Amino acid sequence: MTWPYDSFNVEDLHSVDEGVIRHIFPLVRDGGWDFAIGHFLGVDHVGHRVGPSGEAMRAKLKQMDNVLRKLTEEIDDDTLLVVLGDHGMDLKGDHGGDGIFETSSAMWIYSKSVPLATLPLPQDALPTLDTSANDPDAEPSDVAWKTFPDATSPSRAIQQIDIVPTISLLLGLPIPFNNLGMVIPEVFLRQSASNKLVLDEAMQLNADQIQAYLAAYRASASGGELDEAWSRLSRLHGLATTPAASLQQKRNFIRQSLRSCRELWAQFNVVLMVSGLVALGMTVPVAWSVYRAIDQAPSWEVISEGVLHRGTVGAAAGGAVGLVVKVVGRSLIGQFSLLQATLLGAVFGSELNVLASTASATIFTLPRNFFHRHTALPVLVLILHAVSYTSNSFLMWEDRLTQYFLFTLLFTSIVISAPTAPTHRLRIRIFGFSLATAALLRLIATSTVCREEQQPYCSVTFYSSSTTPVAPYLTMFGAPIAAFALPYVLHHIFLATSRADEAP
C-alpha cells in the first residue's frame, strides 16, 4: 500500500505531512502490516523556505512532536518505532554541502514493551573521548562523540553504516551478509534469557558476520585486495572470539575491518581523477581541430589517415615518456602506478600530436553554413547531450534521454531533409533510412540494463534471467561479429551504389 504526494513543491509546507498523518494512524490501528514508512517533508520544506529559526519551524516541530507522542501511544507492544532524518540543514535551511549541520541528523529508537536499555553502558562498549589512545588496536576514526559549533559539551554520534545491523537485530532478522557497520550499543543494554548481556551477544553476531563476509570476499576473484590487511584482521578476529573477549576487542575488529575496506573501496585519487578529466576535456579541442581540418581538405580520407598515423605515433611516444618518468622520477608522480603513468602518457601524447598536426588559424572560426537548418539542430542536440551530464536526474535516465535526442534528429530528417532533397530517389532514401533507423532504435530500447535509481520504472531484459547478471550467449558472441560485419556490409553494399563516402 502506498499513498504518494507531490514532494518537490517546497512552497507547500503541510500537504505531505497531513497526508502521512491521515493514513498512518488508521494503518497502525488496523494492523495487518509488517513494515511501514512515513516520510514527513514539512520540516525540510520549512527549512528551505524560511530557515531553521522562526515561528514556522517551531510550529512544524511542535506538530511533529504531537505526532510522535500520539504514535507512541497507539503502536502495539510488538512494534519498534524508529525516527530519523535523512540529512540536516545549515543555518540558512539548505543542505547538500559537507558542513557538520548538514551531514548530521537525529535518530530515536523506541520500544513500547521491551525496554532497550536497563543496564548501564559498559566502559569498553564505546571509544572514549581520547579515541582509546592507550589501545594499539583502536581505530582512530571510530569517533563516538561529536561537538557541534557553540556547544558546551559533546553529543553522542553514530555512523550511518551502523543503522543496518542495529535495526536488523532489533527486528529479529539476520544482519545482511555484506554489512560492515557495528550495532549501536545503547539499544542492547539488557540481560538475555540466558542471563547474558544482550550487547555482548549482538556484537559477537556482528563480528562473526563481518568475518564471514571478509572470508567470502577474499575467496573471490578480487580477494587479493585484502592480502595486506588479512593477517591483522585475522588476529583481531581471533581476539574477539575467545570466551573472555571484551566488548572493546570485538569493537576493534569490527571497526578495523571497516577501516580496511574503506581504504580499499572509498578512497579517491584526486590527482588521477583530475588527470582523467583533463584528458577527457582535451578531446573537445582535438575533435574540433580535426573537424575544421576535414572541412578545409579536399578529401576527408587524407585527414583521417594522417590523424590515425599521428595519433598512433603520439600514443607510442607519450606512453614511453610516461613509463620513463615513472621509473626515473617515482616521487614526482607517486600518485600513479606504472600502468597508469604509461596509459596517461599515451593519451596525452596522442591528443597533443593530433592537435599539433591539425590545428591552424581556422580552428578559431566557424565553418561555412554552420548554422544552416540542416546542421543547427544536430549541433544543438550535441550540446544539450553534453550539458545533461551536469544533472544527476538526466544522468540516471541517460538511456531514455539519448533515445529522445536521436528520435528528434530523425524527425527533422523526415520533416525537413527528405522533402527538400533535390531528387525523388534521394528523398525516398532519406525517408526510408530514417524510418529504418527509428525501428532499430525502438528494437534496441527493448534490451535494458537498469540502474538502481530507475526502479520500479525499469525492467531488466538484457541478461539471461532477472536473477543472473550474465549476458546471453548470442549477445556475447554475436556482438564482436556484428562489429566487424556491419561496416563491411555498409561500405560494400549500400555505399557502393551512392558512393556517399567519396563525397568532398
Side-chain angles (χ1 to χ4, degrees):
M1 294 181 290
T2 58
W3 292 280
Y5 292 87
D6 181 13
S7 60
F8 289 103
N9 183 12
V10 296
E11 304 288 339
D12 187 346
L13 308 181
H14 305 293
S15 294
V16 175
D17 292 352
E18 291 171 355
V20 175
I21 294 170
R22 186 181 307 117
H23 293 288
I24 197 167
F25 287 107
L27 184 68
V28 168
R29 298 187 196 105
D30 296 341
W33 53 275
D34 296 314
F35 189 81
I37 298 176
H39 188 187
F40 293 92
L41 284 173
V43 173
D44 179 75
H45 288 182
V46 171
H48 284 299
R49 290 293 298 123
V50 297
S53 301
E55 186 57 39
M57 182 61 80
R58 282 190 288 272
K60 178 56 67 174
L61 292 177
K62 181 65 176 177
Q63 180 190 28
M64 293 296 101
D65 183 71
N66 292 333
V67 169
L68 292 178
R69 288 178 184 275
K70 185 177 179 181
L71 203 53
T72 57
E73 296 172 357
E74 299 208 9
I75 59 174
D76 60 30
D77 291 345
D78 295 327
T79 298
L80 179 73
L81 177 61
V82 181
V83 181
L84 72 162
D86 55 348
H87 58 75
M89 62 178 64
D90 60 19
L91 299 180
K92 296 180 180 179
D94 297 324
H95 56 86
D98 58 357
I100 186 172
F101 289 120
E102 297 167 86
T103 57
S104 302
S105 60
M107 182 174 183
W108 181 55
I109 302 176
Y110 174 76
S111 172
K112 191 171 186 176
S113 59
V114 179
L116 299 178
T118 59
L119 300 174
L121 182 69
Q123 290 185 350
D124 59 349
L126 293 175
T128 58
L129 290 177
D130 63 356
T131 63
S132 303
N134 296 324
D135 182 4
D137 291 324
E139 166 51 43
S141 65
D142 185 16
V143 179
W145 308 92
K146 181 184 293 185
T147 302
F148 288 89
D150 300 326
T152 57
S153 61
S155 301
R156 175 72 170 96
I158 63 172
Q159 298 191 46
Q160 186 175 349
I161 199 172
D162 296 339
I163 297 176
V164 168
T166 302
I167 300 299
S168 297
L169 292 185
L170 287 176
L171 294 177
L173 301 173
I175 299 175
F177 176 69
N178 59 348
N179 162 75
L180 289 171
M182 185 182 76
V183 293
I184 301 170
E186 287 88 343
V187 296
F188 297 100
L189 297 178
R190 57 189 181 279
Q191 294 289 341
S192 66
S194 58
N195 205 32
K196 294 182 179 179
L197 181 63
V198 173
L199 175 58
D200 190 64
E201 296 177 342
M203 292 192 72
Q204 189 63 61
L205 289 172
N206 199 175
D208 291 342
Q209 167 265 316
I210 289 179
Q211 173 64 15
Y213 169 64
L214 294 179
Y217 183 80
R218 191 164 185 259
S220 69
S222 304
E225 295 177 334
L226 287 174
D227 287 347
E228 185 176 344
W230 189 251
S231 59
R232 176 177 173 79
L233 294 179
S234 297
R235 179 180 66 83
L236 291 176
H237 182 255
L239 295 174
T241 53
T242 61
S246 65
L247 294 175
Q248 180 174 322
Q249 288 173 319
K250 295 173 183 178
R251 188 188 73 240
N252 286 344
F253 166 69
I254 295 171
R255 286 312 194 202
Q256 288 287 357
S257 299
L258 174 60
R259 179 188 183 185
S260 298
C261 292
R262 274 178 172 165
E263 289 177 348
L264 290 173
W265 305 327
Q267 300 296 323
F268 304 98
N269 189 329
V270 177
V271 177
L272 191 60
M273 292 169 64
V274 171
S275 301
L277 289 173
V278 172
L280 186 64
M282 282 186 61
T283 60
V284 175
V286 170
W288 180 257
S289 178
V290 172
Y291 174 73
R292 293 297 288 121
I294 292 175
D295 188 58
Q296 299 294 319
S299 170
W300 70 271
E301 291 182 341
V302 176
I303 301 299
S304 62
E305 291 175 0
V307 166
L308 220 83
H309 173 72
R310 292 183 180 90
T312 304
V313 172
V321 170
L323 179 64
V324 171
V325 172
K326 175 61 182 177
V327 172
V328 175
R330 290 184 179 273
S331 59
L332 183 63
I333 54 173
Q335 298 280 352
F336 305 103
S337 67
L338 194 65
L339 177 61
Q340 290 168 345
T342 304
L343 290 177
L344 273 174
V347 170
F348 283 121
S350 176
E351 290 177 332
L352 291 173
N353 201 30
V354 169
L355 188 62
S357 63
T358 57
S360 64
T362 58
I363 193 175
F364 301 106
T365 62
L366 294 176
R368 300 183 303 271
N369 299 325
F370 185 71
F371 291 108
H372 189 268
R373 61 181 178 178
H374 296 295
T375 57
L377 186 60
V379 171
L380 178 62
V381 168
L382 183 64
I383 294 173
L384 289 175
H385 187 227
V387 171
S388 69
Y389 285 106
T390 62
S391 168
N392 286 337
S393 300
F394 282 117
L395 198 61
M396 286 189 296
W397 295 96
E398 184 188 0
D399 53 341
R400 312 285 177 88
L401 180 68
T402 302
Q403 284 186 43
Y404 174 78
F405 282 149
L406 290 174
F407 274 111
T408 300
L409 293 177
L410 289 175
F411 179 78
T412 60
S413 296
I414 295 174
V415 174
I416 299 177
S417 300
T420 58
T423 65
H424 175 73
R425 186 171 182 274
L426 185 57
R427 288 193 292 271
I428 295 299
R429 287 175 66 87
I430 293 175
F431 186 78
F433 280 124
S434 297
L435 290 180
T437 304
L440 290 175
L441 285 175
R442 293 302 303 167
L443 182 63
I444 292 172
T446 62
S447 179
T448 57
V449 176
C450 306
R451 296 172 60 105
E452 183 179 353
E453 299 90 338
Q454 292 178 312
Q455 302 297 339
Y457 306 105
C458 182
S459 300
V460 178
T461 61
F462 174 75
Y463 296 126
S464 301
S465 70
S466 59
T467 57
T468 305
V470 177
Y473 289 115
L474 179 62
T475 302
M476 293 174 61
F477 297 105
I481 297 174
F484 287 98
L486 280 176
Y488 179 86
V489 171
L490 288 174
H491 185 268
H492 289 81
I493 296 180
F494 291 100
L495 296 179
T497 303
S498 65
R499 299 186 180 276
D501 59 319
E502 300 178 5

